[in-house]
Amino acid sequence: MSHPTKTGNPAVVGLAGFGLTTLLLQIHNLGYCTLGPVLAMGLIFGGLAQMIAGFQEQKVGNNFGFSAFVSYGAFWIGFGIILILNKIGIYKSETSDVGWFLVVWTGYTAILWLASMRIHKAMFTTFTLLIIGFILLDLGHFNLPIYDKLSIDPAIFNTIACYVLILCALGAWYMMAGIIINDLANKTILPMGTPLISSNPSASTSTQTTSPTPQTTAIPQPNA
């Protein structure tokens, strides 16, 4: 009797791309590197590689990973296109335009944040940091009238978002490391925690053979 062939978990690539590009963009936003590496990795690793990982998640029936990896992969490619178009002076996006880009992605992330409650605490923590980062960036990309009344520089929200999203990126890498190390050790070295909301026992049993650690990610946030 033949045994089924073991396949790799696509999340190890998706989480790596999500975490690396998110971290690299924050390093740029804090003034430590230029935009070039961010654009390159955003298109190739955070964009293309993460999207391919998402399509692999579809093959194992993981709707969360499928949606998250493909969508955030598209986010990074879209963000890269915005940067390129701004550079060459075609369809230039103002700060508020990027703000609306972020607002709609905040809405999408909120849906995955709710879904992450049914996965495990590591995923929920990562998505909590991601949605907080998005909200801070939303606030930082609009010059709202209340800012003048309160003497608030909206740039402060972008700076705070950098540190929140660095933690988010590290959360994605923690999950990536957990999938790889736990599998190699054949035991739990890096725990992910239990779900905040328990799923129906019969439903969880029927899906137990799918990818054990669906994504996230990426996170992303254009503050360039």
Side-chain angles (χ1 to χ4, degrees):
M1 183 175 179
S2 62
H3 296 282
T5 303
K6 180 180 177 180
T7 58
N9 189 336
V12 298
V13 174
L15 290 167
F18 171 80
L20 186 142
T21 46
T22 300
L23 182 59
L24 194 59
L25 181 56
Q26 307 325 306
I27 292 171
H28 161 74
N29 288 338
L30 290 172
Y32 295 114
C33 78
T34 64
L35 197 57
V38 179
L39 178 59
M41 288 296 96
L43 293 175
I44 300 300
F45 200 13
L48 180 60
Q50 189 175 184
M51 187 174 288
I52 292 172
F55 289 126
Q56 295 301 311
E57 291 280 17
Q58 183 269 339
K59 293 181 179 179
V60 297
N62 185 347
N63 284 327
F64 185 91
F66 181 28
S67 178
F69 285 143
V70 173
S71 298
Y72 289 124
F75 173 99
W76 280 105
I77 294 172
F79 178 44
I81 291 173
I82 289 174
L83 295 177
I84 293 170
L85 292 179
N86 277 355
K87 182 66 176 179
I88 62 180
I90 301 177
Y91 299 120
K92 295 190 68 172
S93 298
E94 303 296 333
T95 301
S96 60
D97 297 326
V98 176
W100 286 114
F101 175 79
L102 291 164
V103 166
V104 296
W105 277 100
T106 304
Y108 170 75
T109 301
I111 296 171
L112 293 190
W113 174 72
L114 291 173
S116 72
M117 297 179 185
R118 297 182 178 273
I119 301 175
H120 47 59
K121 289 185 175 67
M123 188 69 73
F124 174 72
T125 300
T126 300
F127 266 89
T128 298
L129 291 167
L130 180 59
I131 196 167
I132 291 173
F134 264 121
I135 292 171
L136 287 168
L137 288 169
D138 294 341
L139 295 172
H141 280 74
F142 293 100
N143 191 14
L144 303 177
I146 193 172
Y147 294 165
D148 293 330
K149 294 180 181 179
L150 299 176
S151 299
I152 295 175
D153 182 357
I156 189 62
F157 296 113
N158 295 327
T159 301
I160 297 172
C162 286
Y163 296 103
V164 172
L165 290 165
I166 286 173
L167 295 176
C168 175
L170 296 178
W173 273 1
Y174 175 86
M175 288 189 285
M176 173 199 68
I179 298 171
I180 296 171
I181 295 172
N182 294 347
D183 178 63
L184 290 172
N186 202 25
K187 63 179 180 180
T188 301
I189 304 295
L190 297 176
M192 300 295 167
T194 57
L196 270 71
I197 302 175
S198 298
S199 300
N200 184 297
S202 59
S204 62
T205 301
S206 64
T207 59
Q208 198 168 12
T209 57
T210 63
S211 178
T213 312
Q215 200 268 6
T216 96
T217 209
I219 291 125
Q221 51 329 299
N223 180 29

